[in-house]
Amino acid sequence: MLSTAGELLGEVGFERLTTNLVCERAGMTPPALYRYFPNKYAILSELARRLMDAQDEAVFAWIRTGGLQAANLEEAVAKNRSLQQPVNEITRQIPGGIWIMRALRAVPLLRDIRIASRDNVARHISERLTEVYPQVPESELFRAARLTTEVAYAATEMVLEEPGLDEARINEDVCWMVAMHYQRLAARYAQSR
């Protein structure tokens, strides 16, 4: 039922998505659907949670395998790139993935799902970064992690919204932005000591 809703979302967009369309395509009755989802926003919420969970898990796995530890700037960029492309692919592979991302930005009821995901990822990143940048205050690391998470998310949206763009170049650019931001932050606090 959810993959059917995701496919329909990709075909008709969230404005034209209805529970009746989902029922028709999934071969179920409206009362059967309503046992699980009272309206299309409940369906969209579940699709959004699943997308955010899949993206978040990719980040957490990347962190666990040392994605935040780099000996130099070039290695940090390479490690960030090794995360950005898979997150893009996860979004592509989920039925209606780009439409789910659009809905997360456009539908006020879904905003909190995206924000909760961003803050969860930022919290994980900033907690691990305290080991990498012990001289930087935790509050600064959390702010930086929120900012860089938003920038990386925006880059994913950009390449999926406009498939004609040079995805490799955009990924490269955003990875440099993120890596250089942390390098600059660390340098700022190293100088203040």
Side-chain angles (χ1 to χ4, degrees):
M1 174 175 27
L2 285 170
S3 66
T4 297
E7 290 167 10
L8 275 168
L9 185 60
E11 293 171 24
V12 303
F14 58 83
E15 293 94 356
R16 294 181 42 215
L17 180 71
T18 65
T19 54
N20 286 339
L21 276 174
V22 174
C23 288
E24 184 180 311
R25 176 75 62 91
M28 60 190 320
T29 64
L33 176 92
Y34 293 143
R35 276 193 301 222
Y36 302 100
F37 303 103
N39 55 47
K40 80 175 188 176
Y41 294 103
I43 294 170
L44 286 171
S45 291
E46 185 58 30
L47 289 171
R49 276 188 202 85
R50 289 175 183 225
L51 173 61
M52 294 291 89
D53 287 349
Q55 290 179 346
D56 294 356
E57 187 47 46
V59 175
F60 302 150
W62 176 79
I63 291 169
R64 284 190 300 270
T65 59
L68 292 170
Q69 284 84 30
N72 55 50
L73 183 60
E74 288 76 17
E75 184 181 357
V77 171
K79 285 190 172 193
N80 278 292
R81 199 177 325 114
S82 75
L83 172 64
Q84 189 69 28
Q85 184 61 41
V87 168
N88 294 355
E89 284 307 313
I90 287 166
T91 310
R92 274 193 190 93
Q93 297 304 314
I94 290 182
I98 185 58
W99 278 95
I100 297 167
M101 286 184 83
R102 289 174 181 154
L104 282 160
R105 290 262 188 219
V107 178
L109 292 171
L110 303 180
R111 180 182 177 276
D112 289 345
I113 295 169
R114 187 183 64 78
I115 298 300
S117 169
R118 180 207 60 205
D119 289 349
N120 189 26
V121 166
R123 202 170 14 265
H124 274 74
I125 289 172
S126 64
E127 287 170 1
R128 297 316 172 281
L129 284 177
T130 59
E131 301 159 12
V132 180
Y133 305 114
Q135 73 278 18
V136 180
E138 290 180 34
S139 61
E140 281 294 300
L141 289 172
F142 181 66
R143 183 192 54 75
R146 283 181 65 195
L147 177 62
T148 57
T149 299
E150 282 287 350
V151 169
Y153 187 86
T156 294
E157 283 183 323
M158 186 175 173
V159 299
L160 296 177
E161 289 276 350
E162 300 178 58
L165 295 177
D166 184 346
E167 181 174 352
R169 179 65 184 266
I170 291 167
N171 288 345
E172 183 78 9
D173 289 347
V174 77
C175 292
W176 274 98
M177 287 179 202
V178 168
M180 290 177 70
H181 180 70
Y182 286 109
Q183 183 183 50
R184 183 173 160 264
L185 185 65
R188 180 186 314 145
Y189 280 95
Q191 290 173 354
S192 67
R193 288 191 149 203

